[in-house]
Amino acid sequence: HFRRSLSSASDDRASSARRATPRHRERVVASVHHPGALIGGRFELVRPLGAGGMGSVWETIDRTSGHAVALKILHPQLTESPEAVRRLEREAMLLIALRHPNIAACIAPSVGDETFAIAMALVDGRRMDEVMGERARNKTPWSILEVRAIFEKLCGAVVHAHGRGVLHRDLKPQNLMLVDDPEVRVVVLDFGVAKVLATASSDATTQGRRLGSLNYAAPEQMRGEPVDQRADVFALGVILFEMLTLERAWIVTDEGRRAPAFDGRRWPLGVNELMTVLDRMTNGERPLPSRVRPDLPEALDDVVERATAADPDDRYHDVELLLAAFLEAKAAAKDARAGRGLRDRSVHAWLVLGDISGATAGYRIYERFGEERRVMFGLDIMGFFNPERLSGCLLYTSDAADDMQCVD
């Protein structure tokens, strides 16, 4: 159990910790913990994986099992903050209750000494924001099928949490890990600001305070108002837009255009400060995927627009409805493409004839479909007047990759 009796808490130290920069946090972590150190007589530190406002995460070896695990350690300067200790304790209890393949599992809710830490399953993957940044730089967006595979699993994890009365309240690409397993699997991390639904609207400790991350937290959440599962719906809508487009929903460039997603560049602070972004989220135009990628079905615009509505009453009531709408929009778009027929397709053909004695004819049809797909049909007739010497091959290729496959 994490909680211990404290005679008093130092407000100055807590305030200083909140103002600490990431680089300062790394120096603090390095000065207190180091590879080879043994935590709780059980967890041997191997290497730091990252640091945030609440603590640091280390790869460790569990000497009890011999397995590699992740250890989330509260920053030393926060160990005298009852609230910080409660948040870490609550996260451990929630992770124990939320057993799901797409949620990082808690292995040990405490480490048994004066170190405030929790041990979790080590997720061997890459953070979604890192993958987005790489794809944005290389201009290789996910296909809608790839987005579906990830988003469906992500929504399943959040539905599982909501079904057990838990709001995440900090869903964002930085808190999502993508694992090739062999299919892409998403794992939800960091329930540090999660809340039990039964108390989310009445807990006095959160009234009037902003918990969550700007650009993903719903407007009512950023205003410190009571929230319910529709706050997570908002965050999922923002994530869906950014996955589909590789652009930020609310961050803009010097020219006022939406910024590329996590490509490493820093954008002007003036137009992206808290109150300006909150006003953009509350009063600005909703992010619409098809305006960035015309190949995407417009039905997805309606899904993202409703999910990211400024007024929670205008959003989907829960994540299950959001996921159902997303899957329906994708299916409807597929049916529409299938029903258009040849009249809506651009067709190009060529025919070359050699001398009559050994004529060669070629015929190619190019049809443009959605999702950046192309289909070509090549037919070579060796000996124009000899139909028995007929050979053909149907080729498939994708604009996202230059490979072709003979399918029949």
Side-chain angles (χ1 to χ4, degrees), residues 81-124:
S81 167
E83 178 188 349
V85 173
R86 280 196 301 269
R87 282 177 60 178
L88 191 65
E89 180 185 24
R90 182 176 64 244
E91 181 177 7
M93 296 301 104
L94 291 178
L95 288 176
I96 290 174
L98 298 178
R99 292 290 182 179
H100 189 274
N102 299 109
I103 296 177
C106 179
I107 295 174
S110 66
V111 297
D113 63 7
E114 292 302 307
T115 301
F116 294 92
I118 58 177
M120 301 176 293
L122 183 65
V123 181
D124 185 14

Side-chain angles (χ1 to χ4, degrees), residues 43-293:
F43 300 100
E44 181 181 347
L45 301 185
V46 176
R47 63 186 178 98
L49 299 177
M54 285 288 295
S56 59
V57 179
W58 284 74
E59 178 183 343
T60 71
I61 297 296
D62 182 357
R63 289 190 172 181
T64 301
S65 65
H67 297 155
V69 302
L71 196 67
K72 184 173 183 177
I73 307 173
L74 192 67
H75 284 316
Q77 65 268 30
L78 294 179
T79 58
E80 295 186 17
S81 167
E83 178 188 349
V85 173
R86 280 196 301 269
R87 282 177 60 178
L88 191 65
E89 180 185 24
R90 182 176 64 244
E91 181 177 7
M93 296 301 104
L94 291 178
L95 288 176
I96 290 174
L98 298 178
R99 292 290 182 179
H100 189 274
N102 299 109
I103 296 177
C106 179
I107 295 174
S110 66
V111 297
D113 63 7
E114 292 302 307
T115 301
F116 294 92
I118 58 177
M120 301 176 293
L122 183 65
V123 181
D124 185 14
R126 298 178 65 193
R127 285 194 343 222
M128 180 182 282
D129 61 308
E130 297 173 346
V131 178
M132 280 185 178
E134 183 178 279
R135 285 181 171 270
R137 288 188 296 271
N138 297 332
K139 301 186 185 305
T140 54
W142 279 300
S143 71
I144 191 171
L145 291 176
E146 291 171 320
V147 171
R148 171 185 171 166
I150 297 171
F151 192 68
E152 197 168 8
K153 295 181 179 72
L154 171 57
C155 288
V158 180
V159 167
H160 177 80
H162 288 182
R164 281 148 184 79
V166 177
L167 294 178
H168 190 284
R169 298 198 300 182
D170 199 20
L171 293 168
K172 57 183 178 180
Q174 296 92 327
N175 284 339
L176 304 174
M177 293 287 285
L178 298 180
V179 183
D180 291 325
D181 198 21
E183 295 182 351
V184 176
R185 181 169 63 95
V186 62
V187 179
V188 181
L189 309 174
D190 201 345
F191 279 74
V193 298
K195 198 67 183 173
V196 177
L197 276 166
T199 63
S201 62
S202 60
D203 187 356
T205 64
T206 63
Q207 292 294 311
R209 298 180 49 214
R210 300 186 182 106
L211 292 175
S213 299
L214 181 64
N215 304 314
Y216 298 95
E220 69 273 15
Q221 187 175 345
M222 293 304 300
R223 291 191 296 264
E225 299 171 2
V227 298
D228 57 23
Q229 53 198 7
R230 292 172 295 180
D232 283 348
V233 167
F234 182 92
L236 289 170
V238 176
I239 293 170
L240 177 59
F241 172 83
E242 295 184 348
M243 288 181 64
L244 289 167
T245 65
L246 298 181
E247 289 191 1
R248 302 298 301 276
W250 313 112
I251 298 295
V252 298
T253 65
D254 298 312
E255 296 81 18
R257 301 179 59 184
R258 286 193 170 90
F262 308 105
D263 69 346
R265 285 180 283 180
R266 294 185 178 275
W267 304 107
L269 181 62
V271 292
N272 292 307
E273 65 176 351
L274 188 149
M275 295 310 298
T276 304
V277 173
L278 182 56
D279 180 70
R280 193 177 299 140
M281 294 165 63
T282 304
N283 302 310
E285 185 181 53
R286 299 300 92 183
L288 303 178
S290 71
R291 293 190 181 179
V292 181
R293 285 182 58 184

Side-chain angles (χ1 to χ4, degrees), residues 374-395:
R374 291 175 180 170
V375 175
M376 291 176 290
F377 180 81
L379 182 63
D380 295 323
I381 305 177
M382 302 302 297
F384 192 72
F385 297 104
N386 186 355
E388 294 181 358
R389 301 177 63 186
L390 186 69
S391 65
C393 185
L394 179 66
L395 300 176

